[in-house]
Amino acid sequence: MKKVGIVGASGYTGEELARIIVRHPEVELTVATSRQFAGRKLGEVFPNLRGLVDISLENIGPDEIIDRAELIFTAVPHQTAMGIVPKFLAAGRKVVDLSADFRIGDAAVYEEWYQAHSAPEYLAQAVYGLPELYREKIRQTSLVANPGCYPTSIILGIAPLLKAGLIDAATIIADSKSGTSGAGRAAQVGSLFCEVSDGFRAYKVGEHRHTPEIEQELSLLAAQPVTISFTPHLLPISRGILSTVYASLRDGVDTAQVAAVYEDFYRDEKFVRLWPAGTYPATQYVRGSNFCDIGFKVDPRTGRIVILSAIDNLIKGAAGQAIQNMNLLCGFAEDQGLAVVPLFP
Amino acid sequence: MKKVGIVGASGYTGEELARIIVRHPEVELTVATSRQFAGRKLGEVFPNLRGLVDISLENIGPDEIIDRAELIFTAVPHQTAMGIVPKFLAAGRKVVDLSADFRIGDAAVYEEWYQAHSAPEYLAQAVYGLPELYREKIRQTSLVANPGCYPTSIILGIAPLLKAGLIDAATIIADSKSGTSGAGRAAQVGSLFCEVSDGFRAYKVGEHRHTPEIEQELSLLAAQPVTISFTPHLLPISRGILSTVYASLRDGVDTAQVAAVYEDFYRDEKFVRLWPAGTYPATQYVRGSNFCDIGFKVDPRTGRIVILSAIDNLIKGAAGQAIQNMNLLCGFAEDQGLAVVPLFP
Amino acid sequence: MKKVGIVGASGYTGEELARIIVRHPEVELTVATSRQFAGRKLGEVFPNLRGLVDISLENIGPDEIIDRAELIFTAVPHQTAMGIVPKFLAAGRKVVDLSADFRIGDAAVYEEWYQAHSAPEYLAQAVYGLPELYREKIRQTSLVANPGCYPTSIILGIAPLLKAGLIDAATIIADSKSGTSGAGRAAQVGSLFCEVSDGFRAYKVGEHRHTPEIEQELSLLAAQPVTISFTPHLLPISRGILSTVYASLRDGVDTAQVAAVYEDFYRDEKFVRLWPAGTYPATQYVRGSNFCDIGFKVDPRTGRIVILSAIDNLIKGAAGQAIQNMNLLCGFAEDQGLAVVPLFP
Amino acid sequence: MKKVGIVGASGYTGEELARIIVRHPEVELTVATSRQFAGRKLGEVFPNLRGLVDISLENIGPDEIIDRAELIFTAVPHQTAMGIVPKFLAAGRKVVDLSADFRIGDAAVYEEWYQAHSAPEYLAQAVYGLPELYREKIRQTSLVANPGCYPTSIILGIAPLLKAGLIDAATIIADSKSGTSGAGRAAQVGSLFCEVSDGFRAYKVGEHRHTPEIEQELSLLAAQPVTISFTPHLLPISRGILSTVYASLRDGVDTAQVAAVYEDFYRDEKFVRLWPAGTYPATQYVRGSNFCDIGFKVDPRTGRIVILSAIDNLIKGAAGQAIQNMNLLCGFAEDQGLAVVPLFP
């Protein structure tokens, strides 16, 4: 049993990591940190874990974490991650970082959207942790930059089309809708039940920090700079992201061609499910699983394609993908601990 | 007290009409029809109305309705409406038709998206019931074609920009999200709580029948043919539509210019509320009211504008707008019965 | 127009008071206080009010409030209220206090469940603001202690039976379920969307502070000391309380007798709606209204009666009842500003 | 791999059985029937199963089912089950029946609450499938009558107290609240999103058909006839039942004694989790799992105990318990396929 640790285990992503690790046959959770809940049992802070995990949350520093874990998940806010990840790496630990700190290869771009970067020298070795694009590189690194939730849904949805050159990369619009767990477990008025329930709204229109991450990956796929419109919205659901992505098709591209490109691109992927043309995925059909479900519609009236891409934001959009990356880093079967059937209804 | 009738009062739209009429000081509900629930009290079929309205649902024909009502709301499916509306008009009754049958001026377009039209000779006199665009014409007609819910949110959201020529009409994409009441009270699996709750999905992508209605009005505003991408989605909420509309801005158009155009266009409108730049409306802030709330974001990175437009689909998107039209048809104050503060939380 | 003020206008109850006052023809909101949001427009803090109320929140003391309002709603936490209410009364202002501070006539009981009482000398003049029980007394006082939300639903549900002696007062069990707005707008983890949604739990079992208030009123109705079991639960809805109340019936009491007692007790009440035997109220049928809907089932198998009592916790359970009390205090029609049809769906 | 079949696989319970079986290492789903959806892939009817199960629904008779399955789950309505279960048993098949038809040992009682029983001769061999009470008997039978959802939560909640004689069996009141999946996937108005969402109501007060089943088991535990008050309510959630059970304690029984009795009763149970006194379970903490979580409060003021018992109605309340019973029938590890961590949030 490999020993793994979670830094920042009192948020929803940390909890979700613990939830998966509990049933993962190859790893053992040996340390979980939290400043706010130090001293409390994980199963008290998240009562769904009651009786299933015996660990208590601790407020300890990197050195002690290094002593007790071989692989470390950093589920902390950006800026915090860049302060500790280098220590873990220097001590020979493998790291799956769930923050944004190592996702963007160009420090200048990072600093434009976030803040100053204190460890830019690690950007080169960080691999963007989307296994469907970077499986081999992930296997060979020590630092995986686990993708953002929105980027995962958007990039997986559009990658085959960009790669195959079927769309005009200048016309991409991503209209995304996320469940409220994406806002985390912080106590803030905007995340209260009464503020979110029976409602719907957009936020950070054209300004969300996931934008440069999406553009970086789309640019690599398109082999040209790509700028997109990205609008996140808040759904009155706990889990799930649905991204509706629009782009103009190259002349003459039809449904069959698009379907073939998707089939080809995702042929051997265990966690991508393609929907037949004219049928569409839904967040409730991937709930609780590591799947990314993708459907599309070619619209001859407008010459555009509309792509629908659904994930569970806490799993394929965060903790599940992190476990998938861990499996690759450690040489486990890629779906170990993740072979879960979505929970519906 | 003017006598009004509701044909098709057992759906959510019919109920909402009744709910507003009960508190409207100038009109009296004298007849409400339903095939399925004939003989039952309206206050039993919709227990929120218990004790507030004494009327029973009846299964009666047009002649009897004509005898008992001076103004008639037809809240029936398309195709059904075109069979009865001519009779009401011929008998000198005023009609607010909530179906799609008289919304599209060109019968050929209607027939392409719906089915054969049996009363095309009435299309010329029908006025599209969006008071913010057609107030004077509505006052002078006998037949108002009450707009669809999605079209109301999209057209109001984008009308000022098209009218002022600030956007490229060829680039419009409307990504709309609707509450489940839009699917009506019919017992179908897709509308069950367990199918909708904690989930989100798109449907009829690029094929929804509201498309030609939207395009008709946008084309008139732009004074050129407009084709749009329109994607409806189903929200796990009862009431509310939020439309996120994208378009490329003409060169040099900035936030101040856009704001001025909106201010100017909606200066005297009681039911349109403009949000300051960078703040966005939400369905929960218009719930239960006849408001259309509009916000926008100019994105210099992409040269696009993103417009957010929120309504209560059962009110401004259906029954409330129908009452607003009735007020115009009858010479009442336009906000009579509609001066309601949105219910939040 | 009478000038009214709201002390503590940034919570859901304060907002709801403002929402009703905006449309009340006899009063004008002249002052609204908030420490946290001082300086901000009420319509920004609660965007549903955007454009409908022009007032800004202020952080001011009792003297200034007294200068600007003739009647004052205190929508502040218990203990805070007892510090300011006496000043308002001393200055000749009428007060509707929405806290618990003046609800319990016996200061010793109050102090057992809450904390020390600093103004017990005002308890005698405070009238418990349940108009269905104390209408005449309310008209003649200057201080109304507006009832708690749970107590309103439970007391109205069981009052007729206790008064008529149809039940054994020693057997009363109240199992209540409340929407999350009852927890207020404070930012706390337990009220987050992700903690409440798609879930259900009990809390403060047998220990909720509304217990002594309920027992006080039931004891007065029964003319004997009454002790009850009271279990509150948290519903994943914004508004609404349903209380399910159990009691053993006196021998021989049947459905007809119970129905007659209810009919008689609530004959002239505008805000109580009785449901026919065997049909039951629901929170969604009173949403947005000041109604208390009551149904019941006599169960001969067990000799018990089960009473179902539904209110909107923010309206009949708080702000609406406060307005009803204001109407009585000021000699307005009792339903002025409250003649609203419940919003369904 | 043992071959298992599901009769009635197009409802939520059937789907849940399939969902668990897909990941169960000892069994294989070889046949799944549905009249309505015959010919369609299970993964189309329930898109969460897309790509995970290759079976199509069939409309076939008992003989063919017998040919293809060694163990059969009957997930059909009562009355239908009694028509086919005898055929399966006669052919030597093991049956886990999820209907009510074989739960009640006394045919007369069954007929009083349901309708005539056509196979009463099988009642004697049917074992009530609550493993925590009847584990050994289940291992030795061929026919398990899988308990109802409400009964599971109530019986497990109160069994230890009745068995130990700590409560007065004449005073039991069970106030239960269920998620909407309990109403099944049938298209009916009462289960529509708009009718259930943001609402709460009671139904079949004192008349629900689970009553005799609960009373049968409580009577056996108490060794005396027990009659209870049982009130089911409909929660706006998909999954979960919380039962709040009240009973008068025998004189002198205290918290420690109650806790000891629970600990003792459930010491070795894998699927019962006890909560420390004063803390309470919630449906969201058992979601997606086979757990029954139990908490309680001893209330000295009233002499009553309040028990809170939470399950996922589709799992421990239906399909999960059926799998647990299958595991016992087949000699598998009891938690095979069921070792799932609850999904929260």
Side-chain angles (χ1 to χ4, degrees):
Chain A
M1 298 282 273
K2 195 174 273 283
K3 294 174 182 174
V4 302
I6 302 171
V7 182
S10 61
Y12 290 135
T13 300
E15 182 274 332
E16 193 72 5
L17 283 165
R19 203 177 63 79
I20 299 172
I21 290 166
V22 163
R23 293 298 186 228
H24 193 294
E26 317 255 18
V27 299
E28 180 189 6
L29 183 63
T30 51
V31 57
T33 78
S34 163
R35 217 166 292 176
Q36 194 186 351
F37 294 98
R40 294 186 56 188
K41 291 263 183 194
L42 193 52
E44 276 171 36
V45 175
F46 291 104
N48 58 318
L49 299 175
R50 174 180 294 277
L52 302 175
V53 54
D54 197 36
I55 211 167
S56 289
L57 293 163
E58 300 172 88
N59 184 10
I60 55 176
D63 290 345
E64 200 170 340
I65 298 166
I66 287 164
D67 282 353
R68 286 158 56 189
E70 299 163 82
L71 182 144
I72 300 161
F73 296 98
T74 44
V76 292
H78 63 89
Q79 201 167 7
T80 304
M82 64 174 76
I84 52 175
V85 165
K87 296 178 189 169
F88 297 146
L89 294 172
R93 297 295 169 266
K94 294 190 174 181
V95 175
V96 179
D97 176 35
L98 290 92
S99 87
D101 283 354
F102 300 95
R103 292 177 192 158
I104 297 177
D106 183 338
V109 172
Y110 178 90
E111 298 193 341
E112 185 186 335
W113 289 82
Y114 292 88
Q115 76 295 307
H117 202 300
S118 65
E121 65 274 23
Y122 288 87
L123 293 176
Q125 75 180 83
V127 177
Y128 191 70
L130 205 49
E132 290 76 10
L133 296 185
Y134 300 109
R135 182 166 288 115
E136 290 314 314
K137 286 189 176 172
I138 294 166
R139 285 199 171 109
Q140 290 154 28
T141 190
S142 289
L143 171 56
V144 174
N146 210 58
C149 50
Y150 288 121
T152 295
S153 72
I154 294 168
I155 299 165
L156 289 178
I158 205 162
L161 303 180
L162 272 180
K163 188 82 176 178
L166 300 193
I167 57 173
D168 175 356
T171 62
I172 299 171
I173 290 174
D175 191 282
S176 294
K177 303 87 177 174
S178 173
T180 306
S181 62
R185 212 188 196 194
Q188 46 193 9
V189 168
S191 302
L192 293 179
F193 181 86
C194 289
E195 305 289 317
V196 172
S197 172
D198 203 39
F200 185 66
R201 61 175 184 260
Y203 65 99
K204 295 187 188 163
V205 180
E207 301 176 323
H208 194 282
R209 282 167 161 170
H210 283 171
T211 308
E213 178 184 342
I214 301 166
E215 292 181 345
Q216 164 182 288
E217 295 303 316
L218 299 193
S219 298
L220 288 167
L221 285 158
Q224 68 175 95
V226 174
T227 304
I228 66 160
S229 287
F230 169 49
T231 309
H233 300 75
L234 184 67
L235 280 171
I237 67 175
S238 287
R239 289 168 177 258
I241 284 180
L242 186 83
S243 289
T244 310
V245 186
Y246 300 85
S248 293
L249 285 165
R250 298 286 175 206
D251 282 353
V253 176
D254 63 11
T255 297
Q257 200 174 347
V258 170
V261 161
Y262 274 111
E263 289 289 346
D264 191 52
F265 199 93
Y266 290 124
R267 173 155 301 126
D268 299 318
E269 293 300 337
K270 287 197 166 168
F271 294 121
V272 176
R273 300 192 298 189
L274 301 175
W275 284 57
T279 67
Y280 309 109
T283 62
Q284 58 267 53
Y285 303 142
V286 297
R287 186 194 298 136
S289 81
N290 199 48
F291 288 115
C292 177
D293 278 13
I294 300 173
F296 71 89
K297 169 78 180 182
V298 168
D299 183 1
R301 292 180 67 253
T302 60
R304 296 194 187 100
I305 187 168
V306 186
I307 302 134
L308 285 309
S309 173
I311 59 171
D312 183 320
N313 60 302
L314 287 181
I315 305 187
K316 186 60 176 169
Q321 187 143 269
I323 297 290
Q324 189 180 356
N325 282 316
M326 176 194 78
N327 288 340
L328 290 169
L329 282 173
C330 298
F332 307 145
E334 191 171 334
D335 66 346
Q336 194 62 276
L338 298 171
V340 169
V341 188
L343 191 73
F344 174 83
Chain B
M1 298 282 272
K2 195 174 273 283
K3 295 175 180 171
V4 304
I6 302 171
V7 181
S10 60
Y12 290 136
T13 301
E15 183 274 333
E16 193 72 4
L17 284 165
R19 203 177 64 81
I20 299 172
I21 290 167
V22 163
R23 291 299 186 226
H24 193 294
E26 317 254 20
V27 300
E28 179 189 8
L29 183 62
T30 51
V31 57
T33 78
S34 163
R35 217 167 291 177
Q36 194 185 351
F37 294 98
R40 293 187 56 190
K41 291 265 183 193
L42 191 54
E44 277 172 34
V45 175
F46 291 103
N48 59 319
L49 299 175
R50 175 179 294 277
L52 302 175
V53 51
D54 198 36
I55 211 166
S56 288
L57 293 163
E58 300 173 88
N59 184 9
I60 55 176
D63 290 346
E64 200 169 340
I65 298 166
I66 288 164
D67 282 353
R68 286 157 57 188
E70 298 163 82
L71 182 145
I72 299 161
F73 296 99
T74 44
V76 293
H78 64 86
Q79 201 167 5
T80 304
M82 65 174 76
I84 53 176
V85 165
K87 294 177 190 168
F88 296 146
L89 293 173
R93 296 294 169 268
K94 294 189 173 180
V95 175
V96 179
D97 176 36
L98 289 94
S99 87
D101 283 355
F102 299 95
R103 291 177 192 159
I104 297 176
D106 183 336
V109 172
Y110 178 90
E111 298 192 342
E112 184 186 335
W113 289 81
Y114 292 87
Q115 74 298 303
H117 202 301
S118 65
E121 65 274 23
Y122 287 87
L123 294 176
Q125 75 180 82
V127 177
Y128 191 70
L130 205 50
E132 289 76 10
L133 296 186
Y134 299 111
R135 183 167 287 115
E136 289 315 313
K137 285 189 176 173
I138 294 166
R139 285 198 171 109
Q140 290 155 29
T141 190
S142 291
L143 172 57
V144 173
N146 210 59
C149 50
Y150 287 121
T152 295
S153 72
I154 294 168
I155 298 165
L156 289 179
I158 204 163
L161 303 181
L162 272 179
K163 189 82 178 180
L166 299 192
I167 57 173
D168 175 356
T171 61
I172 300 171
I173 291 174
D175 191 282
S176 294
K177 301 86 177 176
S178 173
T180 306
S181 62
R185 212 188 195 193
Q188 45 193 8
V189 168
S191 303
L192 293 179
F193 181 85
C194 288
E195 305 289 318
V196 172
S197 173
D198 202 39
F200 185 65
R201 61 174 183 260
Y203 65 100
K204 295 186 188 164
V205 179
E207 301 176 324
H208 194 283
R209 282 167 161 169
H210 282 171
T211 308
E213 178 184 341
I214 301 166
E215 291 182 345
Q216 163 182 288
E217 295 303 315
L218 299 193
S219 298
L220 288 168
L221 285 159
Q224 68 175 94
V226 174
T227 303
I228 66 160
S229 287
F230 169 50
T231 308
H233 301 74
L234 185 67
L235 280 170
I237 67 175
S238 286
R239 290 167 177 259
I241 285 180
L242 186 83
S243 289
T244 310
V245 186
Y246 300 85
S248 293
L249 284 165
R250 299 284 176 208
D251 281 353
V253 176
D254 65 10
T255 298
Q257 200 175 344
V258 169
V261 160
Y262 274 110
E263 289 289 345
D264 191 54
F265 199 92
Y266 290 124
R267 174 156 299 127
D268 300 319
E269 294 300 336
K270 288 198 166 168
F271 294 119
V272 176
R273 300 193 298 189
L274 300 175
W275 285 56
T279 67
Y280 309 108
T283 62
Q284 58 269 53
Y285 303 143
V286 297
R287 186 193 299 136
S289 82
N290 199 48
F291 289 115
C292 178
D293 278 15
I294 300 172
F296 71 89
K297 169 77 179 180
V298 168
D299 183 0
R301 292 178 68 254
T302 60
R304 296 193 187 101
I305 186 168
V306 186
I307 303 135
L308 285 309
S309 173
I311 60 171
D312 182 321
N313 61 302
L314 289 182
I315 305 187
K316 186 60 176 169
Q321 187 142 270
I323 297 289
Q324 190 179 355
N325 282 316
M326 175 194 78
N327 288 340
L328 290 169
L329 282 173
C330 298
F332 307 144
E334 192 171 332
D335 66 347
Q336 194 64 276
L338 298 171
V340 169
V341 187
L343 191 73
F344 175 83
Chain C
M1 298 281 274
K2 194 174 273 285
K3 294 173 181 173
V4 303
I6 302 171
V7 182
S10 61
Y12 291 136
T13 301
E15 183 274 332
E16 194 72 5
L17 283 165
R19 203 177 64 79
I20 300 172
I21 289 166
V22 163
R23 292 299 187 227
H24 193 294
E26 316 254 18
V27 299
E28 180 189 6
L29 183 63
T30 52
V31 57
T33 78
S34 163
R35 218 167 292 175
Q36 193 185 351
F37 294 98
R40 293 188 56 189
K41 291 264 182 192
L42 192 53
E44 275 171 36
V45 176
F46 291 104
N48 59 319
L49 299 175
R50 175 180 293 277
L52 302 174
V53 53
D54 198 37
I55 211 166
S56 288
L57 294 163
E58 299 173 89
N59 184 9
I60 54 176
D63 290 346
E64 200 170 340
I65 298 166
I66 288 163
D67 282 353
R68 287 157 58 188
E70 299 163 83
L71 182 144
I72 300 161
F73 296 98
T74 43
V76 293
H78 62 88
Q79 201 168 3
T80 304
M82 64 174 77
I84 53 175
V85 165
K87 295 178 190 168
F88 296 146
L89 294 173
R93 297 294 169 267
K94 295 189 173 181
V95 175
V96 179
D97 176 35
L98 289 92
S99 87
D101 283 355
F102 300 94
R103 292 178 192 158
I104 297 176
D106 183 337
V109 172
Y110 178 91
E111 297 192 341
E112 184 186 335
W113 289 81
Y114 292 88
Q115 75 296 304
H117 203 300
S118 65
E121 65 275 21
Y122 287 88
L123 293 176
Q125 75 180 83
V127 177
Y128 191 71
L130 205 49
E132 290 75 10
L133 296 185
Y134 299 110
R135 182 166 287 116
E136 290 315 314
K137 285 188 177 174
I138 294 166
R139 286 199 171 107
Q140 290 154 29
T141 189
S142 290
L143 173 55
V144 173
N146 210 59
C149 51
Y150 287 122
T152 295
S153 72
I154 295 168
I155 298 165
L156 289 179
I158 205 163
L161 303 180
L162 272 180
K163 188 82 177 179
L166 300 193
I167 56 174
D168 175 356
T171 62
I172 299 171
I173 290 173
D175 191 280
S176 294
K177 302 88 176 175
S178 172
T180 305
S181 62
R185 212 189 195 193
Q188 45 193 8
V189 169
S191 303
L192 293 179
F193 181 85
C194 289
E195 305 289 317
V196 172
S197 172
D198 202 40
F200 185 66
R201 60 174 184 260
Y203 64 100
K204 295 186 187 165
V205 179
E207 301 176 323
H208 194 282
R209 282 167 161 170
H210 282 172
T211 308
E213 178 184 341
I214 301 166
E215 291 181 346
Q216 164 183 287
E217 295 304 314
L218 299 192
S219 298
L220 288 167
L221 285 159
Q224 68 175 93
V226 173
T227 303
I228 65 159
S229 286
F230 168 50
T231 309
H233 301 75
L234 184 67
L235 279 171
I237 67 175
S238 287
R239 290 168 177 259
I241 286 180
L242 186 83
S243 289
T244 310
V245 187
Y246 300 84
S248 293
L249 284 166
R250 297 286 175 207
D251 282 353
V253 175
D254 64 10
T255 297
Q257 200 175 344
V258 170
V261 161
Y262 273 111
E263 288 289 346
D264 191 53
F265 199 92
Y266 290 124
R267 175 155 300 126
D268 300 319
E269 293 300 336
K270 287 198 166 168
F271 294 120
V272 176
R273 301 193 297 189
L274 300 175
W275 285 58
T279 67
Y280 309 109
T283 63
Q284 58 267 54
Y285 302 143
V286 297
R287 186 193 298 136
S289 80
N290 199 48
F291 289 115
C292 178
D293 278 14
I294 300 173
F296 71 89
K297 169 77 179 181
V298 168
D299 183 1
R301 291 179 68 253
T302 59
R304 295 193 188 101
I305 187 169
V306 186
I307 303 134
L308 284 311
S309 173
I311 60 170
D312 182 320
N313 60 302
L314 288 182
I315 304 188
K316 186 61 176 170
Q321 188 142 270
I323 297 289
Q324 189 180 357
N325 282 317
M326 175 193 79
N327 288 340
L328 290 169
L329 282 173
C330 298
F332 306 144
E334 192 172 333
D335 65 347
Q336 194 64 274
L338 298 171
V340 169
V341 186
L343 191 72
F344 175 83
Chain D
M1 298 282 274
K2 195 174 272 285
K3 294 174 182 172
V4 303
I6 303 171
V7 181
S10 61
Y12 290 136
T13 301
E15 183 274 332
E16 194 71 4
L17 283 165
R19 202 177 65 80
I20 299 172
I21 289 167
V22 163
R23 291 299 185 227
H24 194 294
E26 316 255 19
V27 299
E28 179 190 6
L29 183 62
T30 51
V31 57
T33 78
S34 164
R35 217 166 292 176
Q36 194 184 350
F37 293 99
R40 294 187 56 190
K41 290 264 182 194
L42 191 53
E44 275 172 37
V45 175
F46 291 103
N48 59 319
L49 299 175
R50 175 179 294 276
L52 302 174
V53 53
D54 197 36
I55 210 166
S56 289
L57 293 163
E58 300 173 88
N59 184 8
I60 54 176
D63 290 347
E64 199 169 342
I65 298 166
I66 288 164
D67 282 352
R68 287 158 57 189
E70 298 163 82
L71 182 146
I72 299 161
F73 296 99
T74 44
V76 293
H78 63 86
Q79 200 166 7
T80 303
M82 64 174 74
I84 52 176
V85 165
K87 295 177 190 168
F88 296 145
L89 294 173
R93 296 295 168 266
K94 295 190 173 182
V95 175
V96 179
D97 176 36
L98 289 94
S99 87
D101 283 354
F102 299 95
R103 293 177 192 158
I104 298 176
D106 182 337
V109 172
Y110 178 90
E111 298 192 342
E112 184 186 335
W113 289 82
Y114 292 87
Q115 76 296 305
H117 203 300
S118 66
E121 65 274 23
Y122 288 87
L123 293 176
Q125 74 179 83
V127 177
Y128 191 70
L130 206 50
E132 289 76 11
L133 297 186
Y134 299 110
R135 182 167 288 115
E136 290 315 314
K137 285 189 177 174
I138 293 166
R139 285 198 171 109
Q140 290 154 29
T141 189
S142 290
L143 172 57
V144 173
N146 209 60
C149 50
Y150 287 121
T152 295
S153 72
I154 295 168
I155 298 165
L156 289 178
I158 205 162
L161 303 181
L162 271 180
K163 189 82 178 176
L166 300 193
I167 57 173
D168 175 355
T171 61
I172 299 170
I173 290 174
D175 191 281
S176 294
K177 303 85 177 175
S178 172
T180 305
S181 62
R185 212 188 194 192
Q188 46 192 8
V189 168
S191 302
L192 292 179
F193 181 85
C194 289
E195 306 288 318
V196 171
S197 173
D198 201 40
F200 185 66
R201 60 174 185 261
Y203 65 99
K204 294 186 188 163
V205 180
E207 300 175 325
H208 194 282
R209 282 168 161 170
H210 282 172
T211 308
E213 178 183 341
I214 302 165
E215 292 181 346
Q216 164 183 287
E217 295 303 315
L218 300 192
S219 297
L220 289 167
L221 286 157
Q224 68 175 94
V226 174
T227 303
I228 66 159
S229 287
F230 169 50
T231 308
H233 301 74
L234 185 67
L235 280 171
I237 68 175
S238 287
R239 289 167 177 259
I241 285 180
L242 186 84
S243 289
T244 311
V245 187
Y246 300 85
S248 293
L249 284 165
R250 298 285 175 207
D251 281 353
V253 176
D254 63 11
T255 297
Q257 199 175 347
V258 169
V261 161
Y262 273 111
E263 289 289 345
D264 190 53
F265 199 93
Y266 290 124
R267 175 156 299 127
D268 300 318
E269 293 299 337
K270 288 198 166 168
F271 294 119
V272 176
R273 300 193 298 190
L274 300 175
W275 285 56
T279 67
Y280 309 108
T283 62
Q284 57 268 53
Y285 303 142
V286 296
R287 186 193 299 135
S289 82
N290 199 49
F291 288 115
C292 177
D293 278 14
I294 300 173
F296 71 89
K297 170 77 179 182
V298 168
D299 184 0
R301 292 179 67 252
T302 60
R304 295 193 188 102
I305 187 169
V306 186
I307 304 134
L308 285 309
S309 172
I311 59 171
D312 182 321
N313 60 302
L314 287 182
I315 304 187
K316 187 60 177 169
Q321 187 143 270
I323 297 290
Q324 191 180 356
N325 282 316
M326 175 193 79
N327 288 341
L328 290 169
L329 282 173
C330 299
F332 306 145
E334 192 171 332
D335 65 347
Q336 193 63 275
L338 298 172
V340 170
V341 187
L343 190 73
F344 174 82

